[in-house]
Amino acid sequence: MKAFAVLLAAGLLPCAALAAEPDTARFQLERSGDHFVRLDRQTGAMSLCTEKDGALVCRMAADERAAYEDELDRLADRVSALEKNSGARPALPTDAEVDRSIGIMERMMRSFMGIVREFQAEDKANPLPQRS
């Protein structure tokens, strides 16, 4: 059993390493003066990156940040409006409205069943020839 666990761990270790690797083809870095521009090829987002203490620190470009903030504000306003309107639920229909709806459905079903009876009558009047 111990040998099986060791073999399983040895087999899964390369898979874990592959899963932890970032997708190197997703981003493209271009040097621009004293900083880098990082392009996300999947989303088209651009970030400005600077090197600090041997590591790249990236932040969104100013125009993208403004668009991001605008979208957040719009969504926050929408959520607030939905929360405000959720308290005002429509009243239940009156008995007259329910009776009217049931009458409409009843007339529709009677018409439909009349059409079904017509088709059944046609089938009885004109039977298909026996093929066997």
Side-chain angles (χ1 to χ4, degrees):
M1 186 66 159
K2 191 174 187 180
F4 176 72
V6 170
L7 286 175
L8 182 64
L12 292 178
L13 189 60
C15 294
L18 288 175
E21 276 185 31
D23 185 8
T24 56
R26 179 175 176 177
F27 296 101
Q28 177 180 349
L29 281 174
E30 293 290 328
R31 188 167 200 58
S32 176
D34 61 340
H35 60 274
F36 295 91
V37 176
R38 181 180 73 174
L39 171 66
D40 185 343
R41 291 183 182 182
Q42 285 183 355
T43 64
M46 294 179 66
S47 303
L48 296 175
C49 303
T50 56
E51 188 174 354
K52 290 186 181 177
D53 300 326
L56 281 179
V57 177
C58 299
R59 59 182 175 80
M60 283 190 224
D63 56 342
E64 288 182 13
R65 184 68 183 184
Y68 177 74
E69 293 291 334
D70 289 344
E71 181 70 6
L72 283 178
D73 291 340
R74 186 187 68 78
L75 290 173
D77 293 342
R78 184 175 174 193
V79 167
S80 297
L82 288 172
E83 287 174 346
K84 186 190 310 181
N85 290 339
S86 68
R89 296 186 184 261
L92 293 175
T94 64
D95 288 341
E97 291 172 332
V98 170
D99 290 341
R100 181 175 178 268
S101 298
I102 290 174
I104 291 170
M105 290 188 297
E106 186 178 2
R107 283 194 310 271
M108 182 196 70
M109 287 303 293
R110 288 184 189 279
S111 297
F112 177 75
M113 293 308 290
I115 293 170
V116 169
R117 281 189 220 104
E118 287 177 19
F119 281 128
Q120 288 173 341
E122 285 179 12
D123 284 346
K124 287 180 183 176
N126 302 321
L128 293 175
Q130 289 290 336
R131 294 184 178 212
S132 55

